[in-house]
Amino acid sequence: MTNGNAAVLYRQSGAVGVIMINNPPVNTLAKQVRLSIAELISLTQSDQAIKAIVISGVGRNFCGGADIREFNTPDRQVRPMTRHLMNIVEDCEKPIVAAIHGPTLGGGLELALGCHYRIVDAGAQLGLPEVHRGVVPGAGGTQRLPRLVGFRKGLEMVTSGTPVDAATALEIGLVDKVVADVDLVEAAIAYATKLIEQRMPVRRTSDIDIDVDTVEGEVTVAGLRAALEKSARGMQAPFRCLESVANTLTMSFEDGWAREAEISEVAVASDESRSLVHAFFAERQTSKIPDIPADTTRRGIEKVAILGAGTMGGGIAMAFANAGMHVTVIESSQENLGRGLSRIEENYDATRKRGRLSDAEMADRISCIHGAVEMSAVAEADLVIEAVFEEMDVKKTVFAELDRLAKSGAILATNTSTLDVDEIAAVTKRPEDVLGLHFFSPANVMTLLEIVRAEKTSPDVIATVLDLCKKIGKTGVVVGVCDGFVGNRMLAPYFRQADFLVEEGALPQDVDRVIEEFGFRMGPFRVYDLAGLDISWAIEKRRAKTRPTEERFSPLLERICALGRHGQKTGAGWYAYEGGRKAIPDPIIETMLADRSAEMGINRRDISDEEILQRCVYSLINEGSRILEEDLAIRSSDVDVIWLHGYGFPRWRGGPMFYADTVGLSEVVATLDRFHAEWGDKWAPTALLRELAEAGSTFKEWDKTRG
Ligand SMILES: NC(=O)c1ccc[n+]([C@@H]2O[C@H](COP(=O)([O-])OP(=O)(O)OC[C@H]3O[C@@H](n4cnc5c(N)ncnc54)[C@H](O)[C@@H]3O)[C@@H](O)[C@H]2O)c1
């Protein structure tokens, strides 16, 4: 027999036919691959010399599953479709061994499940992560996996999307053998030869009986559904996955398989899936900066210095240490340094006690963090990150000092959250080396990093920092200089609406419920209480000095703070806490709100959930579009990434700008026009929004014009 098509190679080894998927870069099941595998299986079936078959992949993995480039093209429908291919493989009358290596996810694992035996390289990862894209495994995965690994484990893997490593795969019966440091394909041929010698039969996963009875299985399903109703509130894909796996309890394989296809098609067409796919591509896009070519020379970053070992400095130091990079933390006195380093140690220790860090890992990370009290310790650093007090004069003094002490070519970053980075850069003789690196708190946990490109920041500084983000596990988004940058600037009108809503008649728990039902992890009032009302109030006081008077802020914050209610940390804020973390609506706050409304001559009214949602979320959208107009973010999808990673916007809604596209921009503009007529200029839709709405366009389309 000759080699198959180039996308699939074929050779014979003894009595074993070896089919190699050869479709770089990740061996997807594109049309030609499906056709060739099906044809080769048919040919080997009738070849008397062949007694068993091995399927494997050339290059870095076994098989990458369905081909994304074929989605929404006629090629996807060409038979055998992916789900038919798995049945052709399984129906083969000669034993087929899958030889698996690399990431074997989604359709790749479904192909392996269609094979009769599985041998796997120790470094492989196996899973069905479709739920993370808002879809359901659609090529038999929901029917075969629970038959092979047991109902409970299969249900958990499909609904969580979490992959397992090779050792776990062996333990749960997903694979038959794990090999390390050998030629995988040769090992699979030897395994297949043994099957032939022992006259082992084909072993079809679809023939296996589910290992729980219907009642027992349904109890498991009910338990998981209840848990998902809390953890995956508002989403549909996890419930669709649940339904499809649950069908194995009551349906034959054929019926469950047919139903899986129907469920999968509905999921593929859902807004949820579109949003999750948008989020995935949006994240990849952030490192592409139109005027900075990909081949821009980067500066080397080996040594990092951090000024200030407070909340942010400590967290930033941990972020670097977690990536194995050495950092020197510089404080203003031994006492402050000692306090800062102890806090870092306490943080690591808390993680260790939770079992998420071993003793050795903790020691390793701590050994990456060095302390100093002389500013001259910055002399060797390739990157200095300033995280001292948020006061312009202090920052200016520090940067003038840095200019004197840092070596030539060092990148000088400020972690300011509100101050003008251009003004800070201007005190140095090297503003091209200065930028803002706005980490989010806790900096060792939060993945977002706003990279603030100041007027004179050099392109290679931006390119270097974008690379660095990948190294320390951050999602970097380039933004321009303005008060609050992108994220916090959008947050301000959102919180202002929350304040107005409670003055007009809503209660904090109403607003929080609506926002949490929308999918945010926490509504604005619970966020206030977690962050500390004293901190919000201090920021408001400072901002009030520079903001126009019409941007009034509610005095409610001040009044609540005056009662010593600073939020969770003092046991009360917008809510009562009674010693725990559960937010309990408090009559004191209701009275305070009623008094405030009376004082303003407002007749408190019932405010619908729809109005609450639109006023909070559309204020984000309008401010986001203003930011785009002002060229402070490159793409609307960058704004989305900021909100997904920094503010808990529900990923399955894609981010505020993509959500606007989903609602329809003309509908958003019509609502904003209505709000504008009722509440004044703050609500006037931006010219960009109106222009896109009138053209029947979307932010996604607009992004394409931005390079
Ligand atoms: N806390 C947040 O959530 C957050 C989020 C993003 C950005 N930021 C910004 O990060 C910066 C630091 O904030 P923080 O919350 O960590 O403050 P913090 O008060 O916890 O820490 C500041 C630290 O800087 C030290 N310090 C002051 N002057 C110094 C100097 N000249 N040399 C060395 N150390 C000096 C202080 O001793 C203190 O330990 C601010 O610019 C703030 O706006 C804060």
Side-chain angles (χ1 to χ4, degrees):
M1 199 181 291
T2 56
N3 271 359
N5 178 283
V8 179
L9 307 174
Y10 181 76
R11 72 187 159 95
Q12 188 176 335
S13 176
V16 181
V18 183
I19 296 174
M20 299 291 293
I21 306 172
N22 180 36
N23 185 23
V26 293
N27 290 333
T28 57
L29 294 171
K31 177 182 77 173
Q32 201 49 52
V33 174
R34 302 195 302 272
L35 287 168
S36 299
I37 295 177
E39 188 191 343
L40 283 164
I41 286 181
S42 154
L43 289 172
T44 43
Q45 287 243 55
S46 51
D47 184 342
Q48 293 304 313
I50 300 295
K51 306 272 186 251
I53 298 162
V54 165
I55 301 183
S56 193
V58 176
R60 54 178 142 129
N61 68 334
F62 167 65
C63 169
D67 195 318
I68 270 185
R69 285 166 300 191
E70 273 186 6
F71 286 4
N72 305 316
T73 73
D75 281 355
R76 181 173 169 253
Q77 308 293 335
V78 171
R79 301 235 169 182
M81 289 173 70
T82 315
R83 62 198 181 93
H84 300 123
L85 179 70
M86 314 321 182
N87 292 359
I88 291 171
V89 169
E90 191 176 63
D91 289 345
C92 178
E93 273 152 25
K94 296 177 180 174
I96 301 186
V97 180
I100 302 162
H101 69 297
T104 299
L105 307 171
L109 181 59
E110 290 178 300
L111 175 62
L113 291 169
C115 296
H116 307 125
Y117 297 87
R118 284 152 290 273
I119 170 167
V120 61
D121 176 75
Q125 287 276 314
L126 302 93
L128 295 176
E130 282 83 347
V131 70
H132 298 310
R133 305 266 175 277
V135 293
V136 175
T142 67
Q143 303 303 295
R144 286 196 180 94
L145 188 65
R147 285 183 159 84
L148 194 59
V149 303
F151 182 77
R152 285 193 183 85
K153 186 70 198 161
L155 185 65
E156 184 221 305
M157 281 181 75
V158 175
T159 52
S160 73
T162 310
V164 294
D165 59 18
T168 311
L170 184 67
E171 202 180 295
I172 63 177
L174 176 52
V175 300
D176 302 292
K177 186 173 179 172
V178 179
V179 294
D181 303 324
V182 294
D183 183 318
L184 174 68
V185 177
E186 288 308 318
I189 293 169
Y191 190 87
T193 306
K194 214 176 226 165
L195 293 177
I196 299 168
E197 286 163 11
Q198 295 174 349
R199 297 179 185 283
M200 295 298 280
V202 297
R203 201 180 54 169
R204 298 191 171 99
T205 312
S206 60
D207 286 345
I208 301 172
D209 288 332
I210 285 290
D211 66 338
V212 294
D213 67 35
T214 310
V215 175
E216 204 183 329
E218 275 167 2
V219 169
T220 304
V221 169
L224 184 58
R225 184 176 290 120
L228 287 175
E229 265 152 20
K230 287 191 188 135
S231 66
R233 191 182 29 207
M235 297 177 73
Q236 290 178 313
F239 297 95
R240 291 190 168 121
C241 286
L242 183 87
E243 180 196 339
S244 194
V245 176
N247 287 339
T248 59
L249 297 171
T250 51
M251 292 186 188
S252 65
F253 176 82
E254 289 70 25
D255 290 349
W257 178 85
R259 181 73 190 120
E260 177 195 82
E262 290 165 7
I263 297 172
S264 168
E265 288 300 319
V266 175
V268 167
S270 67
D271 283 342
E272 179 176 323
S273 160
R274 271 194 280 270
S275 302
L276 289 165
V277 171
H278 164 79
F280 176 78
F281 286 109
E283 282 157 355
R284 296 180 156 209
Q285 195 74 12
T286 55
S287 57
K288 299 195 180 88
I289 313 301
D291 65 334
I292 304 183
D295 61 357
T296 302
T297 312
R298 270 65 168 170
R299 300 187 190 186
I301 305 285
E302 296 294 328
K303 295 191 175 143
V304 178
I306 296 165
L307 293 178
T311 311
M312 293 309 289
I316 297 168
M318 290 171 78
F320 280 95
N322 293 348
M325 288 182 74
H326 282 257
V327 288
T328 302
V329 183
I330 305 164
E331 256 293 346
S332 49
S333 69
Q334 278 296 349
E335 194 193 340
N336 289 344
L337 179 65
R339 198 179 318 121
L341 293 178
S342 308
R343 202 161 33 202
I344 290 174
E345 213 165 312
E346 282 160 24
N347 280 339
Y348 275 133
D349 204 42
T351 315
R352 188 188 59 84
K353 284 188 180 133
R354 269 182 258 126
R356 298 210 200 122
L357 204 64
S358 70
D359 290 3
E361 284 166 335
M362 173 169 158
D364 270 359
R365 293 181 192 193
I366 289 176
S367 74
C368 285
I369 301 174
H370 315 275
V373 287
E374 302 83 27
M375 188 81 157
S376 55
V378 300
E380 293 292 304
D382 306 299
L383 166 67
V384 184
I385 302 173
E386 166 279 308
V388 305
F389 300 131
E390 184 75 341
E391 280 167 36
M392 187 50 108
D393 289 345
V394 179
K395 304 267 191 207
K396 282 184 173 173
T397 311
V398 165
F399 270 78
E401 206 43 13
L402 275 181
D403 195 23
R404 208 168 53 79
L405 296 170
K407 70 179 184 188
S408 152
I411 297 177
L412 309 179
T414 171
N415 181 48
T416 180
S417 24
T418 53
L419 302 173
D420 184 336
V421 182
D422 288 316
E423 201 178 326
I424 296 173
V427 303
T428 72
K429 288 186 219 63
R430 36 173 140 171
E432 67 282 4
D433 295 340
V434 178
L435 83 167
L437 285 182
H438 186 214
F439 285 84
F440 285 66
S441 182
N444 52 316
V445 176
M446 297 292 286
T447 50
L448 179 63
L449 180 60
E450 283 183 324
I451 300 172
V452 188
R453 186 176 183 177
E455 199 189 330
K456 296 193 175 141
T457 311
S458 155
D460 70 328
V461 166
I462 299 292
T464 304
V465 164
L466 280 164
D467 275 8
L468 181 70
C469 281
K470 291 185 189 134
K471 203 161 166 188
I472 61 170
K474 300 290 174 202
T475 302
V477 183
V478 175
V479 301
V481 176
C482 66
D483 187 4
F485 311 121
V486 171
N488 285 347
R489 176 169 151 178
M490 288 167 70
L491 197 63
Y494 167 85
F495 270 96
R496 203 155 46 234
Q497 285 308 313
D499 289 346
F500 287 160
L501 283 162
V502 293
E503 284 177 349
E504 290 169 36
L507 293 172
Q509 55 270 29
D510 300 327
V511 178
D512 283 352
R513 177 184 47 78
V514 170
I515 294 300
E516 286 162 20
E517 279 172 7
F518 178 76
F520 272 93
R521 272 194 288 280
M522 258 187 235
F525 293 97
R526 292 217 292 139
V527 170
Y528 265 132
D529 276 359
L530 188 69
L533 296 184
D534 50 335
I535 293 180
S536 306
W537 178 234
I539 295 173
E540 291 315 326
K541 269 191 291 193
R542 189 161 43 73
R543 288 214 163 126
K545 290 182 197 154
T546 53
R547 276 190 197 273
T549 44
E550 71 269 17
E551 286 188 26
R552 78 185 166 84
F553 281 92
S554 161
L556 286 166
L557 262 185
E558 186 182 15
R559 291 182 192 176
I560 301 176
C561 284
L563 298 176
R565 300 173 69 114
H566 292 178
Q568 252 190 52
K569 63 187 172 190
T570 58
W574 284 100
Y575 294 97
Y577 288 90
E578 295 179 359
R581 284 172 174 231
K582 191 171 175 332
I584 303 160
D586 192 335
I588 295 177
I589 295 293
E590 284 183 38
T591 309
M592 184 183 277
L593 290 173
D595 291 348
R596 169 72 184 149
S597 307
E599 187 184 303
M600 296 177 77
I602 293 174
N603 272 330
R604 290 181 71 80
R605 64 184 169 96
D606 279 341
I607 303 183
S608 71
D609 289 0
E610 187 187 26
E611 182 179 331
I612 292 174
L613 183 69
Q614 288 178 336
R615 285 176 60 180
C616 292
V617 177
Y618 289 15
S619 64
L620 286 179
I621 296 169
N622 210 21
E623 194 63 26
S625 72
R626 196 166 294 125
I627 282 168
L628 294 174
E629 275 185 348
E630 292 173 22
D631 213 12
L632 295 164
I634 297 168
R635 292 163 281 257
S636 71
S637 63
D638 285 1
V639 176
D640 286 335
V641 172
I642 287 173
W643 273 79
L644 297 179
H645 283 262
Y647 299 88
F649 195 97
R651 188 176 175 82
W652 52 276
R653 294 202 191 264
M657 311 318 281
F658 188 79
Y659 176 69
D661 282 353
T662 309
V663 171
L665 297 190
S666 47
E667 199 169 320
V668 172
V669 167
T671 305
L672 289 174
D673 279 338
R674 204 155 42 75
F675 289 174
H676 181 195
E678 195 156 351
W679 291 297
D681 283 350
K682 273 280 129 198
W683 279 111
T686 62
L688 174 64
L689 251 176
R690 192 176 295 286
E691 194 184 301
L692 291 174
E694 280 170 5
S697 189
T698 56
F699 283 116
K700 202 172 185 69
E701 281 302 311
W702 181 79
D703 280 359
K704 293 182 188 156
T705 66
R706 304 280 290 170

